[in-house]
Amino acid sequence: MGIIAWIIIGLLAGLIAKALMPGKDPGGIVITMLIGIAGGLLGGWLGKVILGVDSIDGFFDLSTWVAAIVGSLILLVLYRVITGNRRHA
C-alpha cells in the first residue's frame, strides 16, 4: 500500500479509536488524527512481530483495519495516561 492509503487508514482508525474510547482528550482532532496514523503503523508492526501475520495486505482487508484500530487504541491510552498526569499537576 502507498503512503496515502496509510494516511487515510490511520485517520479513520484514529476516529474509530476515539469513538470506542469516548472522553475528553487534552488534544484536539489533529492529535487524534496523528495518533491514528501512528497507531496504524504500530498495529501493522505488532501484528507482524507478535502474531507473525501480514496485517498490511491491502486497503480493504479486515486485518489491515483491525491492526490499525488496535494500534490507535494502544496509542490513545498511552497518550491519555501521559497527558492526563501533566494536566492535573
Side-chain angles (χ1 to χ4, degrees):
M1 285 191 321
I3 189 72
I4 301 296
W6 269 112
I7 291 173
I8 292 169
I9 288 174
L11 294 174
L12 295 173
L15 291 174
I16 293 169
K18 175 71 173 151
L20 292 173
M21 289 185 58
K24 185 140 175 86
D25 286 324
I29 190 75
V30 174
I31 298 297
T32 302
M33 288 186 213
L34 293 175
I35 287 173
I37 294 169
L41 295 173
L42 174 69
W45 179 77
L46 286 175
K48 188 170 276 204
V49 170
I50 294 174
L51 302 175
V53 296
D54 189 16
S55 56
I56 359 178
D57 289 334
F59 188 84
F60 294 106
D61 266 359
L62 182 62
S63 63
T64 301
W65 286 93
V66 169
I69 292 168
V70 168
S72 296
L73 284 169
I74 290 169
L75 290 182
L76 187 58
V77 167
L78 288 174
Y79 178 73
R80 285 183 178 183
V81 167
I82 291 169
T83 59
N85 291 338
R86 282 192 211 155
R87 194 169 55 178
H88 296 295

